[in-house]
Structure formats: structure tokens, C-alpha cells
Amino acid sequence: MIAIYPGSFDPITLGHLDLIQRGSRLFERVIVAVLRNPNKMPLFSVQQRLDQIRLSTQHLPNVEVDSFDGLTVNYAQMRHAQVLLRGLRAVSDFEVELQMAHTNKTLSTQIETVFLATSNEYSFLSSSVVKEIARFGGSIDHLVPPHIALDIYQCYNHNSPMLNPISTEATPPLKSMSAQKEA
Ligand code: PNS
């Protein structure tokens, strides 16, 4: 059985990769499909995202990476896939995902949506959270693969995080507000 894992993946996170890895054990083939969405202003181009995902999944022989536009169910039918794979992090995801699954069912009765619960450690994680942390100088090394962390830091004009991931202490140390006042 072939599963499509559709999404924006701007960028792919460890949460997405966990889902792909687990999906690759359940299905004969998993096709990670990046939506070419003209309505969004992404951080990375579709080609960059394809390269990032390919590099991150190269150890999984039954995972393929592709892009598509238009309706996901049409793409799934074109690829002879029977399943749309989606992750569920929290109740807030459920409403949106259920609506999407029902909509897709009205478009094609042949395609089933299969949800996997996101692993606990990634239940808070999203591409937007990753971008926000990096934009403000925080570390994302624990949230995305190393090569993607580097790509993101470079987008925000630094080569590494400016803040320590746990303590959010500045590295090199920034002066505290009181120290700045005293200076
Ligand atoms: O990673 P995302 O942004 O949550 O992925 C959303 C995605 C790409 C799966 C969804 O927007 C989608 O399937 N778009 C394609 C258009 C479509 O098929 N729409 C009908 C279902 S609502």
C-alpha cells in the first residue's frame, strides 16, 4: 500500500521525520509530497525543501520525495496511492485535520486518511515554532536535523544560535538589563 504524506514542510522538522519513519514501517512506500502553494510566502523554495527532505530521509529506502500542486487526492490518485498520512499533535489539530479528511473523502471515496499520533516529545513542534525561535536567535538544534538548522540560521543571518537552548542564556553572554543600566 502506498501512502502520500502531504504538507508544506517549510521546513521539515524532527516531528515530521518521526512520522515519516514510522509511516515507512507501515506502508510499502511513503511519498512525501510538498505542496506548491502560490498563496504562501515560504522561507524556503520548493526545490530547497525537496533537497532538505531528501537529505533527511536518505536512510529510508521506501521513502520518496516529490512536489505537487492542486488537490492532494488528485495527486494521490495519479501516484496510485490509497492513503493520505497525517500527524495529530493535539486536539487543536484534530478539528482541522478531521475537516480536511472529510473534505478529501467527498472528493475521492478511494482515498483513506490515516492519522498517526505524533510522538510525545514532538507534540509541541511545528515549522512555524522552529522559524520563530530561530528568528529571535534561539537554538533549534533539538528540533530539526543539523543541515536544516544551518539553512535556517543562514536565512536569519547567523551561522549558529545566539541563545543557549535550555537556559536561553546568551552565548557569548549578553549583558543583562540591569548590567546595561549600570554601564
Ligand atoms: O503542512 P500543512 O500546511 O499542514 O499541509 C496542508 C496540506 C498541504 C496537506 C493541505 O493544505 C492540502 O492538502 N492542500 C492541497 C489542496 C487540497 O487538496 N485541498 C482540499 C483538502 S482541504
Side-chain angles (χ1 to χ4, degrees), residues 5-10 16 33-37 40 68-74 84-86 89 96-97 99-101 103-104 107 127:
Y5 181 36
S8 309
F9 306 108
D10 184 40
H16 293 128
V34 178
L35 175 68
R36 296 181 176 273
N37 190 346
K40 276 195 181 175
F68 73 105
D69 43 32
L71 293 175
T72 302
V73 289
N74 288 350
L84 299 182
L85 180 63
R86 293 288 289 172
R89 287 166 299 190
V96 177
E97 293 296 333
Q99 186 188 25
M100 202 148 50
T103 308
N104 283 330
L107 298 171
S127 301

Side-chain angles (χ1 to χ4, degrees), residues 16-26 56 59-60 63:
H16 293 128
L17 286 169
D18 171 64
L19 211 86
I20 294 168
Q21 187 136 5
R22 288 160 57 209
S24 74
R25 286 190 225 118
L26 297 174
S56 312
H59 60 294
L60 300 169
V63 171

Side-chain angles (χ1 to χ4, degrees), residues 9-12 17 44-58 65 145 147-149 151-152 155:
F9 306 108
D10 184 40
I12 194 160
L17 286 169
F44 295 108
S45 70
V46 170
Q47 190 53 53
Q48 282 174 311
R49 281 178 272 162
L50 292 174
D51 292 344
Q52 289 170 340
I53 303 168
R54 284 195 182 113
L55 202 57
S56 312
T57 58
Q58 60 185 356
V65 184
H147 61 98
I148 296 180
D151 288 347
I152 300 169
C155 279

Side-chain angles (χ1 to χ4, degrees), residues 6 14 19 33 44 53 61 68 90 94 100 106 123 136 163 166 174:
L14 292 183
L19 211 86
F44 295 108
I53 303 168
F68 73 105
F94 185 74
M100 202 148 50
T106 67
S123 58
F136 293 115
L163 298 171
I166 306 297
L174 286 173

Side-chain angles (χ1 to χ4, degrees), residues 53-166:
I53 303 168
R54 284 195 182 113
L55 202 57
S56 312
T57 58
Q58 60 185 356
H59 60 294
L60 300 169
N62 63 336
V63 171
E64 183 187 326
V65 184
D66 194 11
S67 62
F68 73 105
D69 43 32
L71 293 175
T72 302
V73 289
N74 288 350
Y75 175 74
Q77 270 160 353
M78 198 257 288
R79 298 303 313 265
H80 306 291
Q82 298 84 0
V83 166
L84 299 182
L85 180 63
R86 293 288 289 172
L88 281 181
R89 287 166 299 190
V91 181
S92 49
D93 275 350
F94 185 74
E95 221 174 300
V96 177
E97 293 296 333
L98 195 66
Q99 186 188 25
M100 202 148 50
H102 284 320
T103 308
N104 283 330
K105 199 70 184 177
T106 67
L107 298 171
S108 168
T109 52
Q110 307 301 309
I111 313 274
E112 295 292 347
T113 300
V114 171
F115 295 113
L116 287 186
T118 303
S119 294
N120 238 348
E121 66 260 47
Y122 304 123
S123 58
F124 67 97
L125 183 53
S126 69
S127 301
S128 316
V129 160
V130 167
K131 285 181 278 192
E132 182 159 314
I133 295 171
R135 184 150 60 97
F136 293 115
S139 171
I140 50 166
D141 296 349
H142 55 311
L143 306 177
V144 294
H147 61 98
I148 296 180
L150 201 59
D151 288 347
I152 300 169
Y153 291 136
Q154 280 168 355
C155 279
Y156 294 114
N157 283 328
H158 40 261
N159 288 319
S160 58
M162 283 150 30
L163 298 171
N164 175 305
I166 306 297

